[in-house]
Amino acid sequence: MVVLGEEFAHLELVVDRKTGAMTAYVLDGEAERGVAISQTLLEIDAAPSGGDPFTVQLAPVENVLTGETSGNTSQFAGEADPLKTLRRFEGEVRQIEVRGQRFEAVAFRFPEGNEDGEDAR
């Protein structure tokens, strides 16, 4: 779980090691409900210990059941081959805007997250 601001919002990252898929869920300050955003791409920079850095590009996911569209969704997904073998990495959310607040260069550790919610706005 990546905290955005001082519990303003959260970004939950889920990795499927079989496929190298990463899914990101944008959640509210309590990490209970999805928060739809209009962003067209989320980029996660990953730096594995002893490995080459890489970027995971996450595209908006439409969901007919919830009515979320690619321009208004709380779910993003993408793939990167290095995720198939990694258990841990240092990461950074390049930029995300949630409810009018922009967060940039939000550092975290996967799977731990970021403990204090600090970000470099």
Side-chain angles (χ1 to χ4, degrees):
M1 191 75 65
V2 179
V3 179
L4 303 172
E6 295 181 19
E7 304 293 332
F8 180 79
H10 294 83
L11 188 65
E12 182 178 12
L13 301 175
V14 179
V15 173
D16 180 338
R17 287 191 180 82
K18 289 181 183 176
T19 63
M22 176 184 279
T23 304
Y25 300 94
V26 183
L27 304 171
D28 64 10
E30 290 78 34
E32 294 176 349
R33 292 190 171 91
V35 176
I37 63 174
S38 61
Q39 199 154 321
T40 58
L41 181 70
L42 284 180
E43 292 183 298
I44 307 291
D45 292 325
S49 178
D52 293 330
F54 63 96
T55 299
V56 185
Q57 295 187 331
L58 306 172
V61 175
E62 294 185 3
N63 186 326
V64 177
L65 295 176
T66 64
E68 291 187 346
T69 64
S70 64
N72 189 35
T73 187
S74 61
Q75 183 179 346
F76 293 78
E79 293 183 9
D81 281 340
L83 293 174
K84 293 177 182 177
T85 57
L86 284 178
R87 297 258 183 250
R88 304 177 118 44
F89 60 86
E90 299 288 322
E92 183 177 278
V93 179
R94 285 190 187 175
Q95 182 272 329
I96 185 170
E97 187 169 327
V98 181
R99 294 182 175 162
Q101 290 236 223
R102 185 180 178 115
F103 303 93
E104 296 180 355
V106 181
F108 65 92
R109 291 179 307 280
F110 185 88
E112 296 90 347
N114 60 350
E115 297 176 8
D116 53 21
E118 290 184 15
D119 61 78
R121 291 181 194 221

